[in-house]
């Protein structure tokens, strides 16, 4: 197992491996999102309190979960890169940031669309879940801006890794904010004592959407890391052989 | 059909959220291969420039 991960940290091996695995991730994502989206929109019964507006949950929850997951991956990768100086880790962190920012934007936007009919407002500044999620978007933007402002890639990796690690404290704050403070946002629906607070008809499409979004994120992330690796390794012989010689698929 | 579109009076919100999701996912999905193709061309140019210098 360790041998596999050790080998995977090698940029040429990772590049080839990721290229093979991305289509499989994409197929699983399409199947899960196809089922989850259809069942969530047309099969699951309307919620007894929220009516059909609850169907927004099927895009909002996966986006929210991925917004935090992407930041955790970014921070862990940045930390590994900082401590063990594994080049691929910084590439993973750099590739995760824009995807995380998009999913955070999606979580905020769909949450806002859901909030209007349920709470009577698009946005509530005093709400801890909403403001901590907005802070997450600013952290992603700050991370990307910091990287873009430093020409030296090694210095950019180090500086942005520190920011990623400092900002990771916001992730548990987002997750537990609805338990720690009074919030307009509803409490945990899936991960809670006593199991999920949803009927199976509603729950299964949601789980499928979460799984589908996760595999889609995985496919997008691996694709972006491959691009990042190419830019970082352009002096390496394997890149030259791949792009100019008979190196197989690019 | 109209009932499905109306979503119990929440049609604008539900379809708006799903529409936005499709747009964002499309941007992410299309953006990846576009960036990768650009990277391949950029790196090819860099390698050729390096070889021309040496």
């Amino acid at each position: 197992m360790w041998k596999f991960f050790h080998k995977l940290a090698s940029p040429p091996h990772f590049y080839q491996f990721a290229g093979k695995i991305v289509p499989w991730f994409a197929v699983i994502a399409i199947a899960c999102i196809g089922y989850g989206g259809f069942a969530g929109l047309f099969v699951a019964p309307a919620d007894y309190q929220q009516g059909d507006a609850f169907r927004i949950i099927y895009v909002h929850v996966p986006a929210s979960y991925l917004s935090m997951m992407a930041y955790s991956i970014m921070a862990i990768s940045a930390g590994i890169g900082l401590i063990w100086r594994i080049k691929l880790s910084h590439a993973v962190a750099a590739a995760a940031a824009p995807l995380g920012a998009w999913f955070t934007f999606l979580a905020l936007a769909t949450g806002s669309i859901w909030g209007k009919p349920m709470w009577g407002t698009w946005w509530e500044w005093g709400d801890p879940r909403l403001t901590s999620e907005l802070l997450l978007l600013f952290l992603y933007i700050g991370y990307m801006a910091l990287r873009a402002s430093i020409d030296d890639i090694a210095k950019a990796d180090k500086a942005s890794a520190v920011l990623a690690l400092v900002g990771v404290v916001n992730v548990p704050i987002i997750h537990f904010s609805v338990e720690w403070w009074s919030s307009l946002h509803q409490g945990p629906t899936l991960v809670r004592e006593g199991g999920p607070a949803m009927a199976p008809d509603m729950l299964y499409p949601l789980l499928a959407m979460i799984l589908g979004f996760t595999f889609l994120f995985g496919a997008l992330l691996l694709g972006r890391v491959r691009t990042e690796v190419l830019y970082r390794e352009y002096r390496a012989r394997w890149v030259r052989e791949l792009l100019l010689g008979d190196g197989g698929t690019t | 059909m109209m009932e499905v579109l109306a979503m119990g009076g929440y049609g604008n919100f539900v379809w708006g959220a799903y529409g936005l999701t499709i747009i964002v996912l499309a941007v992410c999905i299309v953006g990846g291969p576009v960036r990768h193709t650009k990277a391949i061309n950029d790196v090819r140019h860099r390698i050729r420039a390096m070889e021309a210098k040496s």
Side-chain angles (χ1 to χ4, degrees):
Chain A
M1 189 74 172
W2 281 114
K3 210 173 174 183
F4 170 77
F5 282 113
H6 187 74
K7 205 177 166 189
L8 201 61
S10 147
H13 185 76
F14 172 86
Y15 190 89
Q16 296 293 347
F17 177 77
K20 284 176 190 162
I21 212 168
V22 163
W24 292 103
F25 274 31
V27 167
I28 297 170
I30 289 167
C32 290
I33 293 173
Y35 159 71
F38 180 82
L41 276 172
F42 306 116
V43 179
D47 184 75
Y48 79 104
Q49 276 184 325
Q50 303 185 22
D52 284 304
F54 107 95
R55 298 184 196 283
I56 296 172
I57 199 175
Y58 296 107
V59 287
H60 174 69
V61 169
S64 305
Y65 143 75
L66 276 175
S67 70
M68 292 184 275
M69 175 65 87
Y71 198 93
S72 304
I73 289 172
M74 188 177 94
I76 291 167
S77 303
I80 289 171
L82 207 58
I83 296 164
W84 287 292
R85 297 181 184 183
I86 297 170
K87 284 191 284 183
L88 191 65
S89 296
H90 287 301
V92 172
L99 292 174
W102 274 118
F103 280 106
T104 307
F105 165 75
L106 194 58
L108 286 166
T110 53
S112 182
I113 292 170
W114 195 3
K116 180 62 180 167
M118 291 301 113
W119 308 334
T121 180
W122 297 101
W123 187 262
E124 178 57 51
W125 281 108
D127 188 89
R129 171 60 70 86
L130 272 62
T131 43
S132 56
E133 185 75 12
L134 182 64
L135 180 63
L136 186 71
L137 181 63
F138 292 151
L139 280 167
Y140 278 123
I141 293 170
Y143 177 91
M144 291 187 288
L146 183 62
R147 289 199 68 86
S149 67
I150 303 171
D151 287 334
D152 185 325
I153 205 160
K155 284 181 184 170
D157 283 342
K158 279 184 189 169
S160 59
V162 172
L163 177 62
L165 287 170
V166 170
V168 79
V169 73
N170 190 43
V171 174
I173 291 176
I174 296 170
H175 183 72
F176 292 108
S177 58
V178 289
E179 293 176 22
W180 291 344
W181 299 291
S182 169
S183 174
L184 273 177
H185 197 283
Q186 67 192 63
T189 310
L190 286 177
V191 185
R192 63 195 282 276
E193 274 183 48
M198 289 179 90
D201 286 357
M202 296 171 163
L203 179 64
Y204 296 146
L206 180 58
L207 294 177
M209 286 297 268
I210 291 171
L211 193 66
F213 269 58
T214 305
F215 273 97
L216 178 64
F217 174 78
L220 295 172
L221 180 65
L222 289 173
R224 279 181 170 267
V225 177
R226 290 180 88 226
T227 307
E228 194 71 30
V229 164
L230 269 190
Y231 277 124
R232 286 164 182 258
E233 294 281 308
Y234 76 95
R235 288 190 181 90
R237 199 172 142 188
W238 71 270
V239 175
R240 192 205 169 281
E241 284 172 1
L242 186 76
L243 298 186
L244 300 181
D246 184 22
T249 55
T250 52
Chain B
M1 183 65 184
M2 290 306 286
E3 218 170 88
V4 170
L5 287 176
M7 283 283 167
Y10 297 113
N12 290 344
F13 299 105
V14 174
W15 295 115
Y18 276 78
L20 185 68
T21 303
I22 289 168
I23 291 169
V24 168
L25 294 185
V27 167
C28 291
I29 291 166
V30 173
V34 168
R35 280 189 81 244
H36 195 69
T37 306
K38 187 179 174 295
I40 287 168
N41 291 330
D42 284 353
V43 170
R44 271 200 188 117
H45 284 304
R46 283 186 198 181
I47 295 169
R48 286 196 179 115
M50 270 176 12
E51 286 183 347
K53 269 187 185 175
S54 59

